[in-house]
Amino acid sequence: TMIPTVLPTYNRAPLTFVKGEGSWLIEADGRRFLDFGAGIAVNSLGHAHPALVLALTDQAGALWHTSNLYHIPAQHKLADALVEHTFADTVFFTNSGTEACELAVKMARKYWHDQGQDRSTIITFTGSFHGRSAAGIAAAGSEKMTKGFGPLLPGFQSLPWGDHDALTAAAADPSVGAILIEPVQGEGGIRPLPDQCLKGLRDLCDEHGLLLILDEVQCGVGRTGRLFAHEWAGIEPDIMMIAKGIGGGFPLGAVLATEKAASAMTAGTHGSTYGGNPLACAVGAKVMEIVATPEFLADVNRKAGLLRQKLEGLVAQHPDVFTGVRGSGLMLGLICKAPNLDIVKAGYDAGVLTVPAADNVIRLLPPLTISDDDISEAVNRLGQAATQIARS
Ligand code: PLP
């Protein structure tokens, strides 16, 4: 047979990392890379953070798995912390962002079903990404993800990003029950929704009684300098999906919801064998303990300012390679003039890892624990990559 033993759905870089230390990854051949991808916004506290290693190994020595047939103390601890620090009254744990999307969709539909109303349609936006499940690809709607996988799950209406009139008209449709959006699009090219627009969305939802579902899988857990990105706009969602950063590298996601939005999700309506597993929640609770403090978040904001300033300088120095910087906090995108994949590759040669996104953008998503020196070093290496691109 010709097919690799690992199903070839990824175009992988010729890199094999064998060890991580803080913001650095070490290749099998010994080369050291500054990790400005952080596993696509996952390693929020870098690699091998001592407090996370301890939380995981302590739990590993005590108990790995029991199932949700029983109470799981670490799960309660993490749920309590998430409720304490957010709009939410209740939390369901998953193993990924995709699974969080599945439940967010089910929760919104069940809410309206139990209200006795046929309002199953969820408004979504072009350029969005909500995962690779049947609901996730139908929600995002892009042909790149859906082609060949039909019939798609019905009940999603995709609107052009930023088309205010289309949104106002769609929200008034009596079949619509919810709006689903990323406060900062990640895969879509680090496109932040302006605070005014998120406020406007909240108002629109209130006007028509719609549920506002935020996908903070990539932009949440301190990434933008607030614990959750929507806090910048001073609004609260009804339902929120999180994953990635909350587990710091251990697979963990969650759906957070208000009591009202979650009211239809009674015993037996949803479940997961692994969701809220003791190992995942022990790590998640420790991540929350570290990230959800004013000091930690203030430092993220300070470093975000530093990185952004240096990136503006980089763009100014290499106008033939980059055209601008956008994003929020430590979720930044370099808008490229040269092909973004070439720049990511040149970054490998220069020893810095970045992640491509749509719209010819490269994503910079360093660990939130990145040091000032490592920020400077990463931007130097990006400069080397840009020089290599300009020469070729
Ligand atoms: N939603 C957003 C905004 C994402 O960025 C992602 C992953 O990239 C997902 C959902 C899906 O999460 P996962 O890959 O953990 O299933």
Side-chain angles (χ1 to χ4, degrees), residues 14-382:
L15 294 169
T16 306
F17 297 110
V18 292
K19 193 170 166 55
E21 292 170 356
S23 300
W24 295 81
L25 279 172
I26 296 134
E27 222 272 347
D29 65 7
R31 280 180 297 159
R32 293 172 63 86
F33 291 75
L34 258 170
D35 188 5
F36 267 53
I40 322 188
V42 166
N43 303 99
S44 45
L45 301 183
H47 300 280
H49 188 290
L52 297 192
V53 172
L54 191 64
L56 181 62
T57 50
D58 275 357
Q59 184 63 49
L63 187 61
W64 288 22
H65 177 83
T66 56
S67 97
N68 287 304
L69 296 172
Y70 316 105
H71 289 282
I72 297 171
Q75 203 180 107
H76 286 283
K77 187 172 172 194
L78 177 53
D80 289 351
L82 287 167
V83 166
E84 181 192 336
H85 289 283
T86 69
F87 72 97
D89 301 312
T90 189
V91 183
F92 183 94
F93 292 105
T94 66
N95 311 289
S96 68
T98 304
E99 289 161 276
C101 178
E102 291 292 318
L103 173 56
V105 167
K106 285 177 68 177
M107 187 182 279
R109 289 184 171 179
K110 185 79 161 47
Y111 172 82
W112 286 115
H113 171 269
D114 284 22
Q115 299 285 313
Q117 295 193 44
D118 184 13
R119 293 176 72 162
S120 56
T121 301
I122 298 176
I123 293 176
T124 59
F125 297 89
T126 54
S128 61
F129 185 82
H130 303 297
R132 298 290 197 149
S133 64
I137 63 173
S142 83
E143 177 159 313
K144 192 179 145 210
M145 280 183 281
T146 57
K147 196 168 180 225
F149 295 112
L152 297 181
L153 187 69
F156 296 97
Q157 187 184 358
S158 177
L159 300 180
W161 178 262
D163 186 340
H164 196 259
D165 294 341
L167 175 62
T168 313
D173 188 296
S175 75
V176 169
I179 297 177
L180 165 59
I181 193 164
E182 298 159 78
V184 185
Q185 281 193 349
E187 306 295 312
I190 311 291
R191 293 199 294 176
L193 190 65
D195 290 348
Q196 277 314 109
C197 296
L198 199 44
K199 279 198 188 102
L201 269 179
R202 180 70 267 179
D203 290 344
L204 199 61
C205 285
D206 291 343
E207 186 185 333
H208 297 288
L210 310 180
L211 299 171
L212 179 59
I213 308 172
L214 295 182
D215 180 344
E216 294 226 17
V217 167
Q218 195 159 149
C219 63
V221 196
R223 179 59 48 193
T224 68
R226 300 294 289 263
L227 187 56
F228 291 102
H230 65 266
E231 294 172 25
W232 288 112
I235 60 110
E236 292 184 341
D238 302 288
I239 299 172
M240 178 167 73
M241 302 149 50
I242 69 171
K244 290 186 181 278
I246 189 64
F250 203 96
L252 174 63
V255 173
L256 284 65
T258 62
E259 183 167 20
K260 178 184 146 197
S263 57
M265 301 306 296
T266 51
T269 55
H270 196 64
S272 168
T273 295
Y274 290 124
N277 162 279
L279 297 167
C281 288
V283 175
K286 187 53 75 176
V287 169
M288 274 297 284
E289 213 177 291
I290 294 171
V291 173
T293 64
E295 301 75 34
F296 186 92
L297 293 170
D299 204 39
V300 170
N301 283 305
R302 185 190 60 76
K303 289 184 291 195
L306 183 68
L307 175 58
R308 188 154 193 148
Q309 185 191 8
K310 286 182 183 288
L311 291 174
E312 300 283 3
L314 179 76
V315 171
Q317 273 171 21
H318 300 277
D320 42 342
V321 180
F322 303 115
T323 61
V325 185
R326 69 184 176 203
S328 178
L330 289 175
M331 183 174 185
L332 295 175
L334 276 168
I335 309 162
C336 304
K337 199 165 185 180
N340 61 348
L341 295 179
D342 293 354
I343 302 173
V344 170
K345 271 200 192 111
Y348 296 152
D349 293 339
V352 60
L353 305 175
T354 61
V355 183
D359 236 11
N360 206 32
V361 161
I362 65 173
R363 275 179 274 183
L364 305 176
L365 307 158
L368 306 180
T369 47
I370 185 88
S371 70
D372 292 11
D373 284 351
D374 286 349
I375 287 175
S376 299
E377 182 59 26
V379 177
N380 287 343
R381 291 179 181 207
L382 286 167

